[in-house]
Amino acid sequence: TDLAVLKIDAENLPVIPFYNSDELKQGEVVLALGSPLGLENSLTVGFVSSPHRHLTQQDPMAYIQTDAAINPGNSGGPLLDIEGRIVGINTLILSRSGGSEGIGFAIPSNTVQRVSRQLRAEGRIRRGAIGVMGEDITPVLARALGLSREAGVVLSDVFPHSAAEAAGLQPGDIVLALDGRPVNAVHELIGAIFERAVGDTVAVDVERGGQKMQKKVAVLERPN
């Protein structure tokens, strides 16, 4: 997650409050602080282009996408809402020129807090996994596999000796929801599990052969 924890031997320092990044909406105004190209204490303004962006289909990490100008030197600076609360930490850009093209990304504040707490407590990050591979359902895939729907996620593999296998999940299961939240794409499934703590249990709603069922799956530590 491109984060580290630093200890400062001082007391009563002013701090910026965090905002719940799950509440962030597309179109909200945000401000990026940092030192782009070495120009210290620079502020740029933009909008939330997407509050929950995965860079690839299989990438479990979700970012806040913004068109606020972010350049080399902005990384590590806060992304703020208009009330001055931290909604994320600026981390990267997508660019053909090497400069800002209005596609910048920030680590969501909820991820920042979760990672910092775990680093302080354990000195490392433990990611969750249940042992499945999924694919986005397309009309072509649905016809080929004889699926009942043309959108969503189907399990293409369930790893041997995994938590998913122990819970009774099978290849071909259509994933409907995770802990009651609908799953419409593979990155949503991977991302939701990625953020769960090791030792948690998740409720996975699936459809198999036209029948709906729920499986309780333990979240195990993801191999490094």
Side-chain angles (χ1 to χ4, degrees):
T1 44
D2 196 26
L3 292 169
V5 171
L6 303 180
K7 181 182 178 183
I8 300 173
D9 290 318
E11 298 179 355
N12 300 319
L13 297 175
V15 296
I16 306 176
F18 283 100
Y19 178 68
N20 181 0
S21 54
D22 288 343
E23 301 295 326
L24 202 59
K25 300 292 190 298
Q26 188 176 46
E28 286 192 48
V29 176
V30 287
L31 305 92
L33 274 174
S35 302
L37 306 180
L39 301 173
E40 295 182 0
N41 196 27
S42 295
L43 181 144
T44 55
V45 181
F47 297 97
V48 174
S49 303
S50 172
H52 199 81
R53 176 72 70 193
H54 293 263
L55 299 186
T56 66
Q57 185 186 60
Q58 296 292 337
D59 186 356
M61 181 64 190
Y63 299 93
I64 299 167
Q65 180 185 338
T66 178
D67 66 352
I70 292 176
N71 286 282
N74 271 110
S75 294
L79 187 70
L80 309 170
D81 67 2
I82 56 175
E83 294 186 29
R85 299 170 296 188
I86 297 175
V87 301
I89 299 294
N90 306 320
T91 187
L92 63 94
I93 61 174
L94 290 183
S95 172
R96 294 178 179 175
S97 66
S100 176
E101 295 181 7
I103 309 177
F105 300 91
I107 305 162
S109 60
N110 289 359
T111 301
V112 173
Q113 294 179 86
R114 185 166 54 250
V115 168
S116 64
R117 283 195 300 266
Q118 197 169 147
L119 285 175
R120 290 178 67 182
E122 302 184 33
R124 67 185 184 94
I125 299 301
R126 303 171 69 206
R127 299 293 189 188
I130 62 172
V132 298
M133 289 282 289
E135 287 189 50
D136 288 336
I137 299 173
T138 63
V140 173
L141 184 64
R143 287 194 297 271
L145 298 180
L147 301 179
S148 61
R149 59 189 67 212
E150 296 186 348
V153 174
V154 61
L155 296 183
S156 55
D157 196 10
V158 175
F159 301 152
H161 314 298
S162 66
E165 183 186 63
L169 292 177
Q170 299 177 8
D173 286 349
I174 298 173
V175 180
L176 305 176
L178 192 77
D179 285 338
R181 296 180 63 177
V183 173
N184 301 305
V186 169
H187 63 73
E188 294 179 2
L189 174 64
I190 295 173
I193 296 170
F194 185 71
E195 294 178 355
R196 296 300 297 265
V198 175
D200 281 357
T201 299
V202 294
V204 184
D205 294 315
V206 300
E207 181 180 313
R208 181 188 301 164
Q211 293 187 329
K212 294 181 180 179
M213 59 192 75
Q214 185 179 88
K215 302 293 185 180
K216 302 284 188 173
V217 187
V219 178
L220 304 181
E221 185 168 358
R222 188 182 191 203
N224 189 347

